[in-house]
Amino acid sequence: MNAPESDNTEPERLDFIRQIVADDIASKKNGGKVVTRFPPEPNGYLHIGHAKSICLNFGIAKEVGGTCHLRFDDTNPEKEDTEYVESIMEDVRWLGFDWGDNLFYASDYFDQLYDWAVKLIKDGKAYVCDLSADEVSEYRGGWNKEGKDSPNRDRSVEENLDLFARMKAGEFKDGEKSLRAKIDMNSSNMNLRDPAMYRIRHQHHHRTGDKWCIYPTYDWTHGQSDSLEGITHSICTLEFENHRPLYDWYVEALGIHHPQQIEFARLNVTHTLTSKRKLLALVEGGHVSGWDDPRMPTISGMRRRGYPADALRDFCAHTGVTKFNGMTDLALLELYVRGSLNKTANRAMVIIDPLKVVIENYPEGESEMRQAKNNPEDDEAGIREMPFGRELYIERADFMEDAPKKFFRLTVGKEVRLKNAFFLKCNEVIKDDSGEIVELRCTYDPETSGGKAPDGRKVKGTIHWVSAEHAVDAEVRLYDVLFEQEKAGDVPDGEDLMDTINPKSLEVKQAKVEPSLVKAQAGDSFQFERTGYFCVDAKDSSPGKPVFNRTVTLKSGYKPKPAE
Ligand code: ATP
Ligand code: MG
């Protein structure tokens, strides 16, 4: 089954966000302009959920001739790093999007945010609070519990200005004071119960160095950054719905450009973690080889695994934009990956679990070249030559000694077709002392070179092979899901997330590959005949010594294996 073609025609019905954008353009809101942004926090590598947000924000801008900004939301110095900034830029570009000149950092607005905080203090809309974090949360109350005013709520403007300046100057320790917006301690929306605007953190920042020891909160930064950049549609995920009244309150209190915040449901995929925090724990715990481990749902991991960018884009487009949190089947993503690779990946013959075949009627010391189509889906991909000789390797699973009737591969006394070569018949099985099959003694029919017998006799099965003399040894990495439970990360009480990792998520094999694969370059993708799609690992391969990652199996859908 192939992935549906991505359609270039305009869809009949727009999703609700594109509809809002279309209506705003029609009514000339914001002068008919559309400016979106993708605002990652550089505290980890981007994952499949971010891909969805990137495709949505950059996609909408592209469709309507607007612009999309890339903005690093770098307000939390403790967890942020330039390594993450660079990986994020690489990932956005690889996905096929371009921010042009519109690269921004929230940290570039720290001076402006400070001045705006001073303005709110002067307007009596913000105050310095001495309560500790624990006290603040106690005073805040709860859903059915009234909030209680901070004892500092009615400080004079002068005192607030003085204390805020001294917070900035570094006179206080972490947590000793905070700046809070003065909104409503009894609002039914907890976010409006005098939210924090600044916290004291004596921390080095990856861009502003040691200039600041107070850092703005997410809520105090985000809308103002949107406003400064002239964002028209600030698209975020549903968990920010309750923050929208605060977003609106800040821009209204400052009297600045008011972007529209619109929320949509996060992308969740079965067997897949979409939380940077948990992915970081996998990396730091050494459970994977890094953020770009091919089992990771990060964009860099998926790229290294061999997922094509167009497959990710198509997947994101076709999972739609909704207001309801749901779960998308990993099988759908794999379907798009297969659909894309089927058109572009050249075929190759690789034996992952080799069993030796000796063709007794093939002349010793001789060999010949067979021709194989590189890609039956693409005539321009051409043909290649593969050596064939007296000794071959076939997949162990393609032979069965006591085969049931429906087994159409190789068994004693029956014939099978060798792909791009001849009919082969097995006459004898050689075993070692332990009874394991080590070799098959066979004969071939030289008259069946075209894949057909001149006398019209038929064979039912076709198997692949490589010439033992010419095959090259290569490491092949077979990946499976990192988490076998559908809802990855949904850990029962008392259990650790790391204990739920699939112990069979990586299996390393020494395979016999056809000689042409030695020339394969990092990142090249192939369909190993009858096995799956594989790509040349970009990190661990060296010239002439490719390491192959299994991108996806040939069969559709992931079905968890029953426990053994
Ligand atoms: P995480 O929970 O993994 O840390 P995050 O939302 O905190 O993710 P950000 O760097 O703040 O990560 O995200 C940047 C943008 O990507 C935000 O606009 C966020 O809403 C969006 N985003 C993050 N995860 C998803 C997801 N699963 N589906 C859709 N959009 C997402
Ligand atoms: Mg976040």
Side-chain angles (χ1 to χ4, degrees), residues 30 78 99 102 111 240 319 337 406 420-421 435 460 547 563-564:
N30 303 302
E78 193 189 344
W99 54 87
N102 298 304
D111 284 303
F240 291 103
T319 49
V337 170
K406 287 255 161 89
N420 302 316
K460 279 222 164 128
V547 169
E564 280 171 13

Side-chain angles (χ1 to χ4, degrees), residues 521-560:
Q521 302 289 311
D524 284 356
S525 283
F526 297 91
Q527 185 194 102
F528 289 0
E529 299 273 6
R530 303 178 56 234
T531 318
Y533 291 97
F534 289 74
C535 83
V536 179
D537 188 80
K539 244 186 178 167
D540 297 335
S541 300
S542 50
K545 253 197 144 335
V547 169
F548 293 97
N549 293 325
R550 183 169 70 197
T551 308
V552 67
T553 55
L554 281 186
K555 278 184 236 93
S556 173
Y558 171 75
K559 288 203 183 64

Side-chain angles (χ1 to χ4, degrees), residues 37-43 45-54 57 73 88 218 222 235-240 264-268 274-277 279:
R37 86 286 171 268
F38 172 63
E41 184 182 351
N43 61 350
Y45 281 59
L46 299 180
H47 54 60
I48 178 93
H50 296 113
K52 171 110 189 185
S53 177
I54 293 167
N57 281 293
D73 199 350
I88 289 169
Y218 171 87
H222 200 81
I235 301 165
C236 61
T237 36
L238 277 185
E239 69 270 24
F240 291 103
F264 73 102
R266 296 174 80 86
L267 171 71
N268 298 308
T274 44
S275 150
K276 276 185 280 185
R277 188 175 54 75
L279 295 175

Side-chain angles (χ1 to χ4, degrees), residues 15 17-18 38 46-60 95 97 235 237 264-269 274 299 302 312-322 328:
D15 64 61
I17 297 183
R18 286 180 167 86
F38 172 63
L46 299 180
H47 54 60
I48 178 93
H50 296 113
K52 171 110 189 185
S53 177
I54 293 167
C55 290
L56 187 60
N57 281 293
F58 280 94
I60 287 178
L95 262 183
F97 297 105
I235 301 165
T237 36
F264 73 102
R266 296 174 80 86
L267 171 71
N268 298 308
V269 183
T274 44
I299 295 179
M302 293 187 286
L312 275 178
R313 287 195 303 268
D314 287 349
F315 170 74
C316 289
H318 285 264
T319 49
V321 181
T322 75
T328 302

Side-chain angles (χ1 to χ4, degrees), residues 345-362:
N346 282 348
R347 277 38 172 177
M349 299 234 253
V350 170
I351 303 298
I352 292 177
D353 191 6
L355 175 62
K356 195 157 190 186
V357 164
V358 177
I359 306 174
E360 295 181 299
N361 63 337
Y362 196 91

